Amino acid sequence: MADLRENIARILLTEEELQAKVAEMAALISEDYKDKQLLLVGVLKGSMVFMADLMRKLNINAKIDFMSVSSYGSSTVSSGQVRIILDLKRPVENYDLLLVEDILDSGATLSYLKELLLARQPKSIRIATLLDKPERRKANIAADYRGFEIPDEFVVGYGLDYDEDYRNLPFIGVLRPEAYA
């Protein structure tokens, strides 16, 4: 494969901007959950990089677990159909859950997951997302912790992908349309 950067139209968020924002979010989360049993629930695969950086910056104890869901397949637009591929390994009743997501787009995935997890009766449930695209929102859902609001462009890097590529870029960039046309 050619250099992944060749398909990046422009860098939207630099590595330094991402790390500063993650540190800021971690400080808020640490304060809000200082006396609670926090369970970070990473929504795979996209949230992996963000969640790893976020949890390393927390100054409180937190357990982690993961869910893997799919609503995109090989497309650049969510299908609206959410499939659970991997479920949590532990019961959530004694925990305050923080769903950690890379991007809040249509909201279909997070809305579905929040309802599913609320039925399992955690103490509380909130959402942390690195990126928010409010103009694409279809579900009535908002993040409690939000990194950046971004325009309606297809972005990759820092865990975000197109057809499983570009996740390893250390920044978030706008993918050239010809890369996925």
Side-chain angles (χ1 to χ4, degrees):
M1 174 177 258
D3 180 6
L4 292 177
R5 295 169 193 249
E6 290 175 7
N7 288 325
I8 303 302
R10 72 180 194 287
I11 293 175
L12 188 64
L13 297 165
T14 66
E15 191 171 358
E16 295 75 22
E17 288 171 313
L18 291 167
Q19 291 307 312
K21 183 58 76 174
V22 172
E24 181 185 309
M25 292 174 75
L28 287 171
I29 292 165
S30 293
E31 181 61 29
D32 289 351
Y33 287 93
K34 65 182 173 208
D35 298 319
K36 300 186 176 186
Q37 290 252 347
L38 178 59
L39 175 62
L40 297 173
V41 176
V43 183
L44 295 174
K45 298 178 188 171
S47 73
M48 182 203 58
V49 176
F50 169 48
M51 184 162 148
D53 285 350
L54 181 68
M55 66 186 229
R56 285 193 298 254
K57 288 178 173 53
L58 293 174
N59 63 19
I60 57 170
N61 191 43
K63 298 201 179 334
I64 64 168
D65 207 339
F66 296 94
M67 293 187 82
S68 181
V69 297
S70 176
S71 68
Y72 281 81
S74 293
S75 176
T76 60
V77 179
S78 174
S79 68
Q81 299 283 13
V82 180
R83 286 187 5 246
I84 294 182
I85 298 164
L86 174 71
D87 206 342
L88 298 176
K89 301 288 187 224
R90 70 176 74 232
V92 299
E93 293 87 10
N94 297 321
Y95 293 99
D96 291 286
L97 301 185
L98 183 60
L99 282 173
V100 181
E101 180 64 293
D102 54 353
I103 188 166
L104 178 51
D105 195 336
S106 72
T109 300
L110 280 176
S111 183
Y112 175 84
L113 285 178
K114 188 173 182 181
E115 291 305 311
L116 177 78
L117 293 172
L118 277 171
R120 298 179 187 181
Q121 302 179 323
K123 288 183 178 176
S124 70
I125 187 166
R126 289 184 178 171
I127 295 168
T129 188
L130 180 63
L131 305 176
D132 188 10
K133 275 190 195 177
E135 41 183 295
R136 293 193 42 96
R137 195 83 73 249
K138 292 184 177 139
N140 184 20
I141 193 160
D144 301 280
Y145 305 95
R146 181 177 83 160
F148 300 93
E149 184 174 314
I150 64 167
D152 185 13
E153 297 180 283
F154 195 77
V155 294
V156 295
Y158 197 71
L160 290 98
D161 74 306
Y162 168 65
D163 201 20
E164 295 296 327
D165 291 325
Y166 306 99
R167 290 188 196 277
N168 57 315
L169 294 173
F171 55 81
I172 292 177
V174 176
L175 191 60
R176 291 184 192 284
E178 54 271 18
Y180 56 86

